[in-house]
Structure formats: C-alpha cells, structure tokens
C-alpha cells in the first residue's frame, strides 16, 4: 500500500490552497476603512515619494500617528512594506500615481485608484498567506492524526469556517498574523521531525519575525510556538539544535532589519513606534500601548457575547476543546495538544487585556484571530477520533459555519461598534439581505452582487466536490506518514 504523498505532490493540499485563496480573493472590504486606508497611504508614500508621511491623506483616516509637523501610519509596518510590490506594479501598469488625484471620499477616480491597490495587496498577501496556512494546517493535522480527511476538515474550518476568511479580504494585520503563526507551527513541527531540513528553520524564523513586523503583539502570541520549538529540539543532538535555533533567529532578524529601515525612513530614528504617536485614541496610553491585564468579563464577551463572541461567528470552534482534550490524553500527541491550548489561550488573553478590546468596527473578536489556527488543530483531532454520526454532526456544523462566514466575507467584516447584535443586524439585516455585497464580479466585471455571489458558489462547489473525491481516494489508498501520529 503506498505511503501518503509528500505535500508538494499531494493534490488534496493544492485544491485546499486554491479553494481558500479563491474564496478570500473573490470578496473585498471597504477601502476607506481607516485600518485599510492608513496602511495603503503609507505604502503609497513609500513607493511614490520615498518617505512614509501621510500628510495629504490625514483627513481621510482616524487611524494615524502625529510626530512633529507630519502624520504617519500608527500601525506596525509589516503590511505596508509587503504591499510595496503590488502598488509599484499597479502604478507601473496603469501609469498613474496618487499625485494624479485629489484625495477625498467623494472623488470617484481616487476611490477606484485606492480600491485597486488595496484589493491587490489583499489578494497577493493576505489571501495568499491564509490559503498557504490552510494547506500547511492540513499537512500538520494529517501527520499528527494519521488521517488526511481530518486534515482537510481542519483546513476548511480554518480558511472558510471562521472569520479568518473575512479578515483575509482586508489588509488588516490579523489574518496574516494568524496565518504566519500557523506556518511557523508547521515549520517547527516538520523541522524537528524525521524529515527536517534547514529550510524549515528558515520558514519558522521568517514567519515568526514577519508576524511581529505586521502586529507587534505577535511577539507575545508567538511565544507558544517558540516554546514548542525548544521542547521539540531537546531530542536533537546539541550541535544540531543550536544550529537550528541560530538559523531561525538569523532569518527572523530580517524583520528587525526591515523595521529599522522603515523607522529610519519614516521617523529618522530607530527608537520610535507608530503606536506611540496615536492621535485619536487616548486608551492607547493605558499600560503598554493599551495593554494592561485580562478582564474576565471581556473574556466572556469575546467567547460568548453576541456583540463580539467568537462562537457566534465561528460555531464550528465548539468542537475544538474536545479534540484538544483528546490530544492531551494521548502521550504521543500531548506536546502538540499543549501547544494548541497555549496558542489558543494567549491571543484571547491579549485581546482581553486591550483597552479597545471590542476592536471598534469588527465582526467577531478580530484581535483574538491568531487563536483560530490552534483551535482548528483540535477540530481535526476530534474528527480523526469521532464516530460516523459525530462526523456527520461536525460536517453539518462546518457547512453552517462556511455559509455564515460567506455572508460575513461578502457583506460586512467590520460590523459597527455601536451595534449590540452584530451578526443579526449589521451583517444580515443591514448588508447581506439587501444585497450590499462586494465581489470581484460586481465591482469589476459588470455583474450584480447576487450574480457575483452565485459565481463564487459554483466555483467553490466544484472545488469542494473535487476535494472530497481526492480525500476519499487518498484515504482508500494511503497509510499514515511514518511516525506522524507520534508527533
């Protein structure tokens, strides 16, 4: 009986990547959302002016920093820097720059100019990272459980069954950070196992370093991955372990080099962060840039509350604790079980410590999004051990979660902060039911929003059918990766 194919030759993995990427790329978010806009304004400034000031755009966003006589992005610079290739290419192909327009909400030409570039960054950075993370999550869960079907369920839960999908249509930092932490986890798992290579250490270092460059809070959220790496390295010869750590640290330091370069270009000094100059959010002065200590009532709201609760927007995650508990009970999978616990809990604790814990305009708890990948490991573990009827229930719950997040991704990922019933009112009543959707087909190709949604549904259905057939074929003809279940 043949062994499970390597990831690069596994058609299941590639269909997962295409399905998740297509789904994230097909929908879009409002380009003038302050979180989207300020990152793009800084990218435009870097590409077109060689600096990082956003003075000419300052009136168009409430998310900004002020130092001396100039305005800047108040965000960590990761997405701004990663967006440079897409913006430079768009400018070169179109022959246009932002200087050809008068910036303004009412200027339709500038609106289109900005929208094109934000969509390109979302598609080539955020959507692509999410799709890659889903693909690698499939491989990780497949290896841990010895069940490719469980890996596919975990991957689809991550990419389509949660608000990772919706946030991947934006250029906010949450989905890319969540994806990079999954990628780093996979690289550590693979890079400390039987098939390890220096390449895995490089990927782990780059993923963790750039996660911190995109959102500085990832320095804390990434600690469980670092701890997991050290635990796994204990079984390697000392020299090999030291070299592996050295490679990871060296490649991860590339993000620090980029941060230093950005700070020198933007501020003329290494020792400054955009967060320290925030203009309109006094709460950022509380504690460390708004972080103090976790509040129990906030943890409740982030999990169960109708306004921002994770389970309202991703009900499939109900399954996760049961699968993680199963991992913890088995000595062979206990280490990754504890990683799933820590990786899921730490982002919620960070979110519950934040002054603006509700995220302002957001559908679901956006600052806790990095927890999702680790919770989906639990979903895969539960599936691998479930009975036929339990699997049927999980499949139905996943299908419902996918439909729910299709509505969120297409209609409203930034529910107004003042709306207590975010899902029922802000997403469905005010946006989805009236057909106020954003799809590639209606925004660029002349279709209606509902036709655009139908096109996605047809393509996604065909890819899902192909995926199901491939999974069944692989299950019938493959055996678990040697040593996989012991990892």
């Amino acid at each position: 009986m043949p062994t499970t194919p390597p990831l690069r030759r596994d058609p299941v993995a590639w269909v997962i990547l295409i399905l998740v990427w297509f789904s994230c790329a097909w929908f879009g978010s409002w380009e003038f959302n302050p979180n989207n806009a300020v990152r793009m304004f800084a990218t435009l400034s870097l590409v077109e002016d060689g600096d990082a000031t956003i003075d000419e755009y300052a009136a168009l966003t409430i998310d900004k920093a002020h130092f001396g006589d100039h305005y800047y992005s108040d965000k960590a610079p990761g997405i701004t820097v990663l967006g440079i290739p897409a913006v430079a290419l768009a400018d070169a192909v179109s022959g246009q720059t932002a200087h050809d327009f008068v910036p303004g909400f009412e200027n339709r030409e500038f609106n289109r100019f900005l929208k094109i570039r934000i969509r390109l960054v979302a598609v080539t950075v955020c959507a692509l990272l999410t799709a890659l993370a889903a693909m690698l999550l499939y491989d990780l869960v497949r290896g841990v459980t010895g069940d490719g079907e469980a890996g596919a369920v975990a991957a689809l839960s991550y990419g389509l069954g949660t608000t990772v999908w919706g946030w991947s249509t934006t250029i906010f930092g949450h989905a890319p950070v969540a994806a990079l932490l999954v990628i780093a986890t996979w690289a550590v798992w693979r890079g400390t196992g039987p098939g390890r290579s220096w390449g895995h250490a490089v990927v782990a270092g780059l993923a963790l370093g750039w996660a911190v460059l995109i959102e500085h809070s990832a320095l804390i959220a990434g600690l469980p991955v670092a701890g997991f790496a050290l635990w796994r390295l204990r079984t390697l010869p000392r020299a090999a372990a030291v070299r592996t750590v050295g490679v990871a640290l060296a490649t991860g330091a590339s993000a620090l080099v980029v941060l230093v370069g950005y700070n020198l270009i933007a501020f003329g000094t290494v020792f400054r962060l955009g967060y320290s100059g925030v203009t309109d959010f006094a709460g950022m002065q509380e504690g460390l840039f708004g972080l103090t200590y976790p509040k129990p009532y906030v943890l409740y709201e982030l999990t169960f509350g109708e306004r921002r609760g994770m389970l309202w927007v991703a009900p499939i995650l109900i399954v996760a604790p049961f699968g993680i508990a199963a991992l913890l009970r088995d000595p062979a999978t206990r280490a990754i079980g504890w990683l799933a616990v820590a990786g899921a809990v730490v982002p919620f604790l960070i979110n519950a410590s934040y002054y603006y814990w509700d995220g302002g305009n957001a559908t679901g708890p956006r600052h806790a999004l990095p927890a999702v990948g680790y919770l989906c490991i639990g979903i895969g573990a539960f599936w691998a051990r479930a009975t036929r009827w339990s699997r049927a229930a999980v499949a139905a719950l996943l299908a419902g979660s996918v439909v729910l997040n299709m509505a969120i991704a297409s209609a409203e990922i930034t529910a107004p902060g003042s709306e207590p019933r975010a899902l029922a009112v802000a997403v469905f009543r005010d946006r989805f039911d009236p057909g106020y959707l954003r799809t590639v087909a209606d925004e660029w190709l002349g279709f209606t929003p509902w036709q655009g949604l139908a096109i996605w549904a047809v393509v996604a259905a065909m890819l899902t059918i192909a995926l199901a057939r491939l999974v069944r074929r692989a299950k019938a003809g493959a055996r678990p990766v040697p040593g996989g279940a012991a990892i």
Side-chain angles (χ1 to χ4, degrees), residues 132-483:
L132 182 59
M135 178 187 190
L136 298 182
L137 187 62
Y138 155 76
D139 186 50
L140 189 154
V141 172
R142 175 185 67 165
V144 168
T145 65
D147 188 335
E149 193 174 86
V153 169
L156 294 181
S157 297
Y158 174 81
L160 301 181
T162 72
T163 50
V164 164
W165 182 359
W167 291 116
S168 299
T169 69
T170 75
I171 60 171
F172 287 50
H174 312 301
V177 167
L180 287 168
L181 291 181
V182 170
I183 293 168
T185 299
W186 171 86
V188 168
W189 171 72
R190 277 291 183 199
T192 54
R196 63 183 178 272
S197 70
W198 296 121
H200 294 110
V202 170
V203 171
L206 286 174
L208 288 174
W210 278 81
V212 175
L213 189 65
I214 292 172
E215 294 283 356
H216 296 324
S217 60
L219 185 64
I220 303 172
L223 288 177
V225 185
F228 180 63
L230 293 176
W231 175 257
R232 296 268 293 177
L233 286 168
R234 82 194 191 286
T235 61
L236 299 184
R238 183 182 181 87
V242 170
R243 285 196 298 269
T244 300
V245 171
V247 170
L249 289 175
T251 53
S254 66
L256 180 61
V257 173
V258 174
L259 177 61
V260 168
Y262 175 85
N263 281 355
L264 289 174
I265 293 172
F267 311 123
T269 176
V270 174
F271 303 104
R272 178 173 288 172
L273 297 177
Y275 288 121
S276 63
V278 170
T279 60
D280 297 317
F281 297 93
M284 292 295 290
Q285 307 308 316
E286 296 281 338
L288 179 64
F289 300 126
L291 291 176
T292 53
Y293 60 91
K295 288 83 173 175
Y297 82 92
V298 174
L299 282 171
Y300 175 85
E301 288 295 326
L302 293 173
T303 307
F304 304 107
E306 188 172 2
R307 181 165 170 245
R308 288 292 179 269
M310 183 70 86
L311 293 180
W312 283 86
V313 296
I316 185 62
L317 296 180
I318 293 171
V319 176
F322 302 101
I324 293 174
L327 291 173
L328 294 173
R329 286 194 298 269
D330 185 346
T333 58
R334 189 166 293 153
I336 202 151
W338 281 116
L339 170 63
V341 171
V345 169
V346 170
F348 274 93
L349 294 178
I350 295 171
N351 199 162
S353 303
Y354 188 37
Y355 184 90
Y356 298 106
W357 64 268
D358 64 347
N361 288 0
T363 304
R366 62 187 178 96
H367 294 104
L369 204 65
V372 169
Y374 300 100
L375 292 169
C376 288
I377 293 174
I379 294 173
F382 180 84
W383 182 276
R385 294 164 171 80
T387 64
R388 178 181 178 182
W389 291 108
S390 294
R391 289 187 174 191
V394 172
L397 190 58
L398 175 56
S401 291
V402 170
V403 171
L404 178 61
N405 280 280
M406 173 271 295
I408 293 170
S410 64
E412 186 60 276
I413 190 60
T414 54
S418 59
E419 176 51 61
R421 302 179 63 210
L423 194 59
V425 175
V427 175
F428 282 99
R429 191 195 71 184
D430 295 346
R431 297 290 305 177
F432 188 80
D433 292 348
Y436 297 138
L437 314 178
R438 295 186 179 95
T439 74
V440 168
D442 75 85
E443 290 192 312
W444 309 108
L445 304 178
F447 291 86
T448 69
W450 290 118
Q451 288 171 337
L453 186 64
I455 292 170
W456 168 81
V458 170
V459 175
M462 291 190 296
L463 288 170
T464 302
I465 292 170
L467 178 63
R469 289 177 175 174
L470 288 169
V471 168
R472 283 199 298 268
R473 185 183 305 167
K475 188 173 183 178
R479 64 175 180 265
V481 177

